[in-house]
Amino acid sequence: PLALSVYRLRNKLREREDYDRFADPLDALDAEVAHLKRLADDYSSLAHLPEPKFVRFRFDRLVHEVVELHAPQLERFRFENRCASEPVEIIGDPDRLREVMVNLLKNALEFARPDGRIRIDAARAGSVVRFVVADENRADAPTAADLSHATRPYVTTRPGGTGLGLAISETIIIDHGGRLQLETDVVF
């Protein structure tokens, strides 16, 4: 109803000669409505994460797809892809694991220095598959103290962030029998 009200208000105000005066506040209102919707969706998804649908799939292909999806953003950094060249087949939920990868990569894109490096590692070590996203942080990036509680729901250091991305990611990883480890001062 709120989005519809803003839409109707915008259409009504367009008829006025001084519409430009209202455009920016209406844009801000639209953005806030979208933010609230995303927050509600994220909250709902945290409370009702679907059961993982475990299938056998190529983890290395999934990593490649996620990297390709973010290639335009990665061009702004010195990106290093250290993923294993051999096939890495696992049993897991590719959709849920894609969500984790996208979230970790988006965090790296946001907190990396403009001229910094971002690195992705993915490889099998025995029966374990390790997936790492590392970046050279900006000065205002989360500290070790911030990271110690970063997977708690609604904890965020980002303006406009919901604080649900890492909480959801950790839940998904735990559902796969893994663990999410967040570190600062990664050595390249």
Side-chain angles (χ1 to χ4, degrees):
L2 187 56
L4 182 58
S5 296
V6 173
Y7 174 78
R8 288 179 177 160
L9 180 61
R10 184 183 295 275
N11 284 340
K12 194 70 168 163
L13 289 171
R14 279 183 211 251
E15 299 168 6
R16 296 179 54 147
E17 288 182 27
D18 61 345
Y19 171 75
D20 290 348
R21 196 175 102 203
F22 300 101
D24 286 343
L26 287 170
D27 289 345
L29 194 53
D30 275 337
E32 186 60 22
V33 168
H35 171 73
L36 290 172
K37 181 184 180 327
R38 191 186 77 202
L39 184 61
D41 290 346
D42 286 348
Y43 176 75
S44 177
S45 68
L46 179 62
H48 306 289
L49 280 177
E51 288 293 317
K53 295 179 181 136
F54 292 103
V55 297
R56 182 176 297 279
F57 72 98
R58 291 268 308 269
F59 187 78
D60 57 303
R61 286 186 183 154
L62 181 61
V63 173
H64 177 74
E65 290 170 10
V66 170
V67 168
E68 285 299 311
L69 178 67
H70 292 87
Q73 296 99 321
L74 289 167
E75 287 176 2
R76 298 187 335 249
F77 302 93
R78 291 178 286 149
F79 176 64
E80 194 176 339
N81 186 344
R82 290 191 188 170
C83 296
S85 57
E86 71 273 355
V88 177
E89 198 168 271
I90 68 167
I91 296 175
D93 184 328
D95 293 330
R96 299 281 67 94
L97 292 174
R98 176 188 307 273
E99 190 174 344
V100 171
M101 288 179 196
V102 167
N103 183 52
L104 295 175
L105 190 52
K106 281 184 176 181
N107 283 345
L109 288 165
E110 179 160 346
F111 290 110
R113 289 194 323 246
D115 63 338
R117 289 183 285 183
I118 294 178
R119 182 185 77 220
I120 291 182
D121 290 305
R124 180 178 295 283
S127 63
V128 175
V129 173
R130 182 177 168 158
F131 178 73
V132 176
V133 177
D135 64 89
E136 290 181 316
N137 290 335
R138 295 188 324 240
D140 64 340
T143 64
D146 294 330
L147 294 181
S148 69
H149 55 268
T151 59
R152 292 185 197 147
Y154 313 109
V155 172
T156 184
T157 60
R158 181 175 51 192
T162 63
L164 294 173
L166 289 175
I168 290 170
S169 294
E170 183 177 54
T171 300
I172 292 168
I173 291 170
I174 289 170
D175 287 347
H176 283 79
R179 67 185 171 95
L180 178 63
Q181 185 174 330
L182 304 173
E183 300 175 358
T184 60
D185 303 322
V186 175
V187 178
F188 275 83

